């Protein structure tokens, strides 16, 4: 990956998160969203606004190829608005199944036009394959993945196998197979304490049942102009980031069709590298719920409706009420980091003097029970940055200390950048 440390991750939803009216708030408020919808409509020769907003089009929206294209359109529109309005991008991205295409598009691995055409054809291909084998999926909750795996192995036959097709959390998976075997395995899983929920309008996706679809889809993927993602994208099929090779992008998208979604391991990969914030870019909050269940302390947001946009802005950016805490964390960080600079003069001038000034201001504010000003918070941040540089703290550790001091938030637009370069 380009960055070892991950703070903020953007998540892109898959099929099942679509609904009539999705993207409407962004479309009516932001020209960037309208331009994205127009580009999608022109690319596919579909009226994307009617497809996404009209109740009369609900049946059409539920067609897999339409649902996939509409989700990419809305997710990319949301991403573009977010970046334009919030003025920052994530440290990494991941998408659930179809959402991986949205992530790759937003990370610059493919144009929106190419992405839309790919997902539209992908939807048609997998729909035909699912219909040919009369297959389906079901969610399984309340059972460990190992129990579900064991049950599938015990009941599968060579001609009629059942596979795990998603690992969402330690106690939430999905299975894929024929309708007959999904019913049979589902009954066995219920006897073992599981809760089995059939997935409507689905097929045996993310399993070897889709190998013919993968074979048909492969040349289409290779015909598109692809690039390595400029922002790390964590792949569904193995829970690891894409590399720097163009070929890997096409290969992963084909492998995604016949392998389970490893959402749990993808999330764990990001969590182990310091993920503190996860933002779901697109309709609903399914992925926010999944991520929160894996890490209750994680700060999560969605970016879909008006209330989501407001909550994200408040939660991602420093507010006036945060200033005193920022000053305290900056003072604590200066004391906590190791000094690697042997110069006493530099230490006294660039560490101790600024530190004592901020400490005195902090104590005065507390004694007077006054609220700090924006300038107080910025002065504390500048003091910490100077101290980290003077103490010769490694850049990665320094960035981590700065992010901790800001409580993993960002300064509002127009305020100075304080992360080390």
């Amino acid at each position: 990956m380009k960055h070892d440390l991950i703070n903020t991750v953007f998540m892109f939803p898959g099929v099942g998160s679509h609904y009539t009216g999705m993207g409407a708030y962004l479309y009516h408020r932001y020209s960037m969203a309208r331009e994205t919808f127009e580009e999608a409509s022109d690319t596919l020769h579909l009226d994307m606004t009617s497809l996404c907003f009209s109740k009369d089009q609900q049946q059409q929206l539920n067609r897999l190829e339409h649902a996939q294209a509409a989700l990419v359109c809305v997710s990319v529109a949301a991403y573009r608005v977010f970046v334009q309005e919030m003025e920052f991008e994530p440290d990494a991205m991941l998408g659930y199944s179809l959402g991986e295409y949205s992530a790759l598009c937003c990370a610059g691995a493919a144009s929106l036009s190419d992405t839309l055409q790919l997902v539209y054809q992908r939807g048609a291909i997998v729909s035909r394959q699912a219909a040919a084998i009369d297959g389906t999926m079901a969610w399984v909750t309340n059972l460990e993945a190992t129990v579900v795996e064991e049950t599938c192995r015990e009941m599968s036959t060579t001609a009629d196998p059942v596979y795990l097709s998603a690992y969402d959390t330690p106690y939430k998976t999905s299975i894929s197979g024929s309708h007959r075997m999904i019913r049979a395995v589902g009954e066995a899983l219920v006897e073992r304490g599981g809760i089995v929920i059939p997935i409507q309008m689905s097929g045996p996706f993310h399993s070897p049942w889709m190998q013919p679809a993968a074979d048909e889809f492969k040349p289409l993927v290779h015909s598109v102009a692809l690039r390595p993602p400029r922002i790390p994208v964590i792949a569904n099929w193995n829970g690891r980031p894409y590399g720097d090779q163009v070929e890997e992008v096409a290969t992963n998208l084909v492998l995604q069709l016949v392998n389970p979604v490893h959402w749990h391991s993808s999330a764990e990969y990001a969590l182990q590298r310091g993920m503190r914030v996860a933002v779901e870019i697109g309709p609903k909050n399914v992925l926010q719920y999944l991520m929160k269940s894996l890490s209750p302390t994680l700060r999560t947001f969605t970016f879909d409706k008006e209330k989501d946009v407001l909550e994200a802005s408040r939660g991602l950016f420093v507010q006036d009420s945060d200033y005193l805490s920022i000053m305290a964390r900056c003072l604590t960080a200066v004391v906590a980091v190791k000094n690697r600079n042997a110069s006493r003069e530099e230490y006294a001038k660039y560490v101790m003097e600024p530190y004592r000034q901020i400490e005195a201001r902090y104590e005065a504010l507390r004694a007077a029970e006054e609220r700090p000003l924006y300038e107080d918070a910025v002065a504390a941040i500048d003091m910490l940055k100077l101290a980290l540089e003077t103490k010769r703290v490694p850049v990665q550790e320094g960035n981590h200390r700065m992010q901790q001091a800001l409580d993993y938030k960002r300064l509002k637009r127009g305020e100075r950048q304080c992360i080390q370069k």
Side-chain angles (χ1 to χ4, degrees):
M1 292 183 70
K2 296 177 182 177
H3 309 289
D4 292 328
L5 183 65
I6 294 174
N7 176 30
T8 302
V9 169
F10 283 4
M11 310 177 292
F12 296 85
V15 174
S17 288
H18 62 287
Y19 66 90
T20 297
M22 64 178 181
Y25 169 72
L26 299 176
Y27 178 88
H28 292 299
R29 185 173 178 84
Y30 301 101
S31 60
M32 178 65 75
R34 292 192 292 275
E35 291 168 8
T36 304
F37 270 75
E38 290 169 7
E39 184 180 352
S41 298
D42 292 342
T43 296
L44 296 177
H45 306 292
L46 282 172
D47 184 345
M48 197 59 70
T49 56
S50 176
L51 185 65
C52 290
F53 305 157
S54 175
K55 292 181 180 179
D56 295 337
Q57 293 292 311
Q58 185 170 356
Q59 188 174 354
Q60 287 298 315
L61 180 59
N62 284 333
R63 284 178 54 186
L64 190 57
E65 59 269 35
H66 288 171
Q68 295 198 21
L71 276 165
V72 168
C73 171
V74 173
S75 295
V76 173
Y79 173 81
R80 290 175 173 178
V81 170
F82 186 102
V83 172
Q84 181 184 60
E85 295 300 307
M86 306 293 192
E87 293 191 336
F88 77 87
E89 292 186 317
D91 301 305
M93 301 181 180
L94 63 160
Y96 194 101
S97 185
L98 179 277
E100 190 165 322
Y101 287 78
S102 300
L104 287 167
C105 178
C106 293
S111 68
L112 176 58
S113 176
D114 284 341
T115 303
L116 286 166
Q117 292 181 64
L118 270 182
V119 300
Y120 191 88
Q121 294 177 84
R122 175 184 185 264
I125 290 169
V126 299
S127 291
R128 288 197 299 271
Q129 173 61 14
I133 56 179
D134 189 35
T136 190
M137 297 174 69
W139 296 120
V140 181
T141 61
N142 206 45
L143 282 178
E144 292 185 6
T146 53
V147 175
V148 182
E149 289 171 337
E150 180 184 358
T151 306
C152 289
R153 281 196 302 269
E154 290 174 353
M155 300 190 66
S156 290
T157 66
T158 303
D160 206 357
V162 178
Y163 301 98
L164 257 79
S165 48
Y167 295 80
D168 290 347
T169 73
Y171 291 91
K172 184 177 184 295
T173 58
S174 73
I175 55 175
S176 290
S178 67
H179 278 89
R180 184 183 71 84
M181 285 300 291
I182 291 296
R183 283 194 297 270
V185 172
E187 290 171 1
L189 291 171
V190 168
E191 290 179 1
R192 295 187 177 190
I195 300 170
V196 180
I197 305 170
I199 302 176
Q200 302 300 320
M201 296 178 296
S202 65
F205 304 138
H206 297 291
S207 78
W209 279 107
M210 302 309 293
Q211 189 60 55
D215 295 338
E216 184 179 352
F217 187 60
K218 184 175 181 179
L220 296 177
V221 177
H222 285 275
S223 70
V224 171
L226 299 172
R227 298 170 292 277
R230 60 181 178 79
I231 298 171
V233 175
I234 302 172
N236 275 193
W237 83 275
N238 64 355
R240 292 295 179 269
Y242 281 73
D244 295 327
Q245 300 300 313
V246 173
E247 179 65 24
E248 188 175 352
V249 178
T251 300
N252 280 6
L253 292 178
V254 175
L255 288 170
Q256 187 207 61
L257 288 173
V258 294
N259 284 278
V261 175
H262 287 280
W263 182 262
H264 183 195
S265 58
S266 297
E268 286 297 320
Y269 182 91
L271 286 166
Q272 289 168 9
R273 282 154 183 79
M275 177 174 61
R276 300 284 181 158
V277 178
V279 184
E280 185 162 5
I281 304 292
K284 292 189 179 180
N285 62 348
V286 174
L287 303 183
Q288 181 189 29
Y289 168 78
L290 287 180
M291 197 65 85
K292 198 72 175 178
S293 70
L294 292 171
S295 179
T297 60
L298 191 69
R299 186 179 296 149
T300 62
F301 304 93
T302 59
F303 200 77
D304 180 18
K305 300 178 180 178
E306 182 177 12
K307 66 178 182 63
D308 304 323
V309 175
L310 295 174
E311 287 175 5
S313 180
R314 286 194 295 265
L316 293 169
F317 290 91
V318 171
Q319 306 296 309
D320 294 356
S321 57
D322 297 322
Y323 292 161
L324 190 65
S325 296
I326 287 174
M327 293 178 73
R329 285 191 293 268
C330 286
L331 291 168
T332 300
V334 171
V335 175
V337 296
K338 178 181 178 181
N339 178 38
R340 297 171 174 83
N341 188 345
S343 172
R344 294 183 179 180
E345 293 79 8
E346 289 184 3
Y347 187 86
K349 183 176 182 180
Y350 299 118
V351 178
M352 292 310 302
E353 288 182 18
Y355 178 90
R356 286 170 179 155
Q357 291 174 7
I358 299 300
E359 183 181 41
R361 175 62 175 161
Y362 174 75
E363 294 298 344
L365 288 166
R366 289 188 63 199
E369 296 184 351
E370 293 180 7
R371 253 191 174 182
L373 302 173
Y374 159 73
E375 288 77 13
D376 293 318
V378 170
I381 291 167
D382 286 344
M383 179 273 297
L384 174 57
K385 184 173 186 241
L386 181 60
L388 293 171
E389 292 172 347
T390 304
K391 285 189 168 188
R392 297 178 183 173
V393 175
V395 171
Q396 185 171 322
E397 181 186 348
N399 282 339
H400 184 56
R401 293 287 184 179
M402 296 299 298
Q403 290 168 350
Q404 282 184 319
L406 290 166
D407 193 25
Y408 303 95
K409 296 182 180 181
R410 287 167 166 77
L411 288 172
K412 296 175 185 177
R413 186 187 329 193
E415 297 171 358
R416 71 191 69 181
Q417 277 293 332
C418 55
I419 301 300
Q420 291 178 297
K421 301 294 183 183

